[in-house]
Amino acid sequence: MGKVAVAFAAAAVLVSCSVAAVMVGRRIKSRAKWRAVVEILKELEEACDTPVGRLRQVVDAMAVEMHAGLASEGGSKLKMLLTFVHHLPNGTEKGTYYALHLGGTYFRILRVHLGGERSYLDVQDVERHPIPSHLMDSTSEVLFNFLAFSMERFIEKEGKESNSQGVKRELAFTFSFPVKHSSISSGVLIKWTKGFEISEMVGKDVAECLQGAMNRRGLDIHVAALVNDTVGALSLGYYHDPDTIVAVVFGTGSNACYLERTDAIIKSQGLLTTSGSMVVNMEWGNFWSSHLPRTSYDIDLDAESSNPNDMGFEKMIAGLYLGDIVRRVIRHMSQVSDIFGPTSSMLSEPYVLRTNSVSAMHEDDTPELQQVARILKDLGVSDVPLKVRKLVVKICDVVTRRAGRLAAAGIAGILKKIGRDGSGGITSGRSRSEMRMQKRTVVAVEGGLYMNYTMFREYMEEALVEILGEEVSQYVVVKAMEDGSSIGSALLVASLQS
Ligand code: BGC
């Protein structure tokens, strides 16, 4: 080999060595970035961990807080609000009734016709519309004028003949926010939740506002009851099955109500002497306990929300928030690593990732996770490899699993408070006769998160069995109530007339 050829060969070796070195360097760097992301995932998993022991602590804390909230006004973060609902519909109701439901994301209007027997429940018209976002921070006048206008349009579509006798239409107003009631048909707004921000409305009578707006439009409608959505769901549950004594909503927000003995509502003793029980609206979204597994993402979400230091439980389990927790994790990962490409500015937009997208990604069963790719692309994150898409699915899983399991702990807490969790003060060695005394308990459940997100539902139901044990779980029936809060509220109004 000549000198030139030797030099050329040596240079070639050098070049290929340095190319290899660069590639190795890149691989090491990319492995380090991947390791950083895996570390974030690991930390998230640990922080969200909900072993059954921890869930039981949450169960106990929920039961304790319920007692405290019933004992005195302001005795707990759980408001345990009186609803003045002493009797639930039993199937004998007759007539035509309406419900107008202002939820967190949608409003619904419907009409039911009842024939006096349980099987004669005819839900005639159901209208469901997204709440226009400008209403959420408008004024009470704008909001209620809009609701009255929507009601007017609904009635116009009925035609003249449906109200030919000229009697007033009886309406239930299902209002999915915390209200301090003074009767079943009146109560003032305590605070807004779920991103609503009409501050001058706080302290005003909600039913009066709606009635006023409808009177101004000349509508022949009487607001006969003001009903929390959980109470509506309970009413429908009870109508079909009188073992239904608890109702929970997992939607944009979350809450529970249940039938309580009036003598246990210590804070209102004088007021409640006439009847044996009353439905209590827990407003469990505001529940808090040091046993709740909180992450730095929850802390940031809370601090940047429209209601900081409020609704801590809701912010871990409800539909409005799950998407935003997932978004925050992805954003954090994309800031420490380029596995998501350059950090998309959209990842910094609060609530841009909705929980229905989280469920679509979580339940994506296409081999290449195309749904995940599509949703990430909508967030400005394109062309990520399959292993990154799998990572995103894992994040959805961790956040939703925690939510489902905590939701189950909440339900078990209520069961514990009312003595339906099988413990009855006896933690082990239950005899057959004790088991026979265990009563069947139906928990009515409503809300888009529960209805549409299978993994959330499965995690919740699985954890409930884990907490209660196989034996006791057989006595606890969780029943889905489609549109229960609206239909049930109309039934409640019907029961007031009969
Ligand atoms: C409200 C509750 C409501 C729940 C579910 C919460 O944000 O405070 O009143 O029942 O959402 O809609």
Side-chain angles (χ1 to χ4, degrees):
M1 203 187 284
K3 271 187 183 169
V4 175
V6 170
F8 188 76
V13 169
L14 257 180
V15 169
S16 68
C17 282
S18 56
V19 168
V22 169
M23 281 172 59
V24 170
R26 274 207 199 127
R27 239 181 278 137
I28 291 174
K29 252 198 204 156
S30 100
R31 244 186 261 139
K33 283 179 177 171
W34 185 252
R35 255 206 311 275
V37 164
V38 169
E39 194 50 40
I40 293 176
L41 178 65
K42 210 172 115 212
E43 278 168 18
L44 178 74
E45 284 183 294
E46 281 168 11
C48 289
D49 199 18
T50 46
V52 72
R54 181 181 272 236
L55 292 181
R56 292 219 169 93
Q57 289 172 318
V58 175
V59 171
D60 291 346
M62 181 65 84
V64 167
E65 291 299 317
M66 290 173 75
H67 276 285
L70 290 172
S72 63
E73 208 66 69
S76 162
K77 281 183 90 88
L78 287 185
K79 286 218 158 9
M80 307 300 284
L81 299 169
L82 307 186
T83 61
F84 294 87
V85 175
H86 295 280
H87 303 285
L88 290 163
N90 59 14
T92 57
E93 295 76 12
K94 279 188 188 160
T96 300
Y97 301 91
Y98 296 78
L100 167 63
H101 179 182
L102 183 70
T105 308
Y106 295 97
F107 74 94
R108 297 177 191 73
I109 305 179
L110 57 78
R111 184 180 59 234
V112 301
H113 184 73
L114 307 168
E117 281 170 45
R118 236 179 223 117
S119 54
Y120 258 78
L121 165 59
D122 182 13
V123 182
Q124 293 180 330
D125 271 322
V126 187
E127 274 189 13
R128 181 175 183 261
H129 304 286
I131 300 168
S133 57
H134 72 271
L135 291 183
M136 294 171 63
D137 57 1
S138 57
T139 62
S140 52
E141 197 183 333
V142 171
L143 175 68
F144 285 98
N145 282 348
F146 172 82
L147 293 176
F149 171 68
S150 308
M151 198 64 215
E152 184 174 22
R153 271 191 327 194
F154 182 87
I155 283 167
E156 272 166 9
K157 281 193 219 140
E158 286 184 331
K160 291 250 170 346
E161 64 288 357
S162 76
N163 196 33
S164 48
Q165 288 119 21
V167 284
K168 257 193 194 281
R169 293 172 169 91
E170 295 293 319
L171 173 78
F173 185 22
T174 316
F175 184 70
S176 306
F177 300 92
V179 163
K180 187 170 172 50
H181 279 264
S182 41
S183 73
I184 194 168
S185 58
S186 61
V188 297
L189 174 65
I190 298 175
K191 64 182 178 189
W192 287 108
T193 58
K194 298 178 280 202
F196 275 70
E197 283 181 89
I198 309 173
S199 54
E200 68 27 74
M201 180 64 209
V202 173
K204 286 192 185 160
D205 190 307
V206 182
E208 219 172 87
C209 287
L210 180 63
Q211 187 70 69
M214 290 193 305
N215 293 350
R216 285 195 294 279
R217 295 199 86 81
L219 301 180
D220 226 3
I221 298 176
H222 171 228
V223 183
L226 177 62
V227 188
N228 187 260
D229 50 354
T230 55
V231 181
L234 183 68
S235 303
L236 181 63
Y238 190 89
Y239 181 87
H240 287 304
D241 183 340
D243 285 340
T244 313
I245 52 173
V246 179
V248 190
V249 170
F250 299 111
T252 307
S254 182
N255 188 15
C257 74
Y258 71 107
L259 205 55
E260 180 57 282
R261 292 189 337 263
T262 40
D263 61 4
I265 311 177
I266 296 165
K267 64 182 175 185
S268 305
Q269 274 312 295
L271 200 65
L272 306 171
T273 46
T274 52
S275 131
S277 54
M278 184 190 276
V279 177
V280 173
N281 167 13
M282 291 174 60
E283 285 298 329
W284 86 358
N286 203 33
F287 168 66
W288 191 252
S289 154
S290 58
H291 299 299
L292 290 172
R294 201 177 198 207
T295 67
S296 56
Y297 308 104
D298 300 305
I299 294 171
D300 293 346
L301 182 150
D302 177 55
E304 292 162 29
S305 68
S306 58
N307 52 349
N309 291 321
D310 205 23
M311 307 300 276
F313 192 48
E314 174 162 285
K315 286 173 182 162
M316 286 182 159
I317 64 170
L320 178 58
Y321 303 104
L322 299 188
D324 209 52
I325 301 173
V326 171
R327 173 190 71 84
R328 285 166 188 277
V329 180
I330 298 177
R331 184 182 58 168
H332 182 196
M333 288 180 172
S334 86
Q335 283 164 343
V336 299
S337 159
D338 60 3
I339 63 162
F340 289 94
T343 306
S344 157
S345 60
M346 283 182 75
L347 286 175
S348 297
E349 244 178 67
Y351 303 103
V352 66
L353 180 62
R354 311 286 291 255
T355 298
N356 54 5
S357 298
V358 170
S359 98
M361 294 198 285
H362 196 179
E363 293 169 0
D364 186 352
D365 55 6
T366 62
E368 297 291 305
L369 297 177
Q370 279 114 342
Q371 292 294 340
V372 179
R374 181 184 57 78
I375 291 164
L376 286 178
K377 193 162 173 226
D378 289 347
L379 293 172
V381 179
S382 302
D383 298 329
V384 290
L386 186 58
K387 73 172 181 177
V388 174
R389 284 178 247 159
K390 285 186 178 160
L391 178 80
V392 170
V393 174
K394 183 68 192 163
I395 300 168
C396 299
D397 185 66
V398 173
V399 172
T400 300
R401 183 169 186 271
R402 179 185 70 163
R405 291 175 69 80
L406 292 178
I411 295 176
I414 303 174
L415 297 176
K416 180 164 192 137
K417 163 69 186 71
I418 57 178
R420 299 288 183 103
D421 69 328
S423 65
I426 304 156
T427 46
S428 60
R430 290 164 57 77
S431 67
R432 277 188 176 282
S433 62
E434 281 158 0
M435 274 320 289
R436 266 201 298 276
M437 281 163 62
Q438 179 77 33
K439 288 190 187 140
R440 178 173 176 271
T441 308
V442 179
V443 179
V445 186
E446 230 243 286
L449 181 64
Y450 181 82
M451 296 290 182
N452 306 325
Y453 195 163
T454 313
M455 290 303 291
F456 171 84
R457 197 165 59 229
E458 285 181 359
Y459 278 137
M460 193 209 90
E461 286 168 2
E462 179 187 81
L464 197 56
V465 176
E466 236 179 273
I467 298 167
L468 298 174
E470 294 281 348
E471 217 173 347
V472 175
S473 308
Q474 289 168 20
Y475 294 87
V476 177
V477 182
V478 174
K479 266 197 198 171
M481 295 285 139
E482 182 102 52
D483 277 330
S485 13
S486 320
I487 300 171
S489 303
L491 298 181
L492 194 58
V493 166
S495 75
L496 295 176
Q497 322 293 315
S498 54

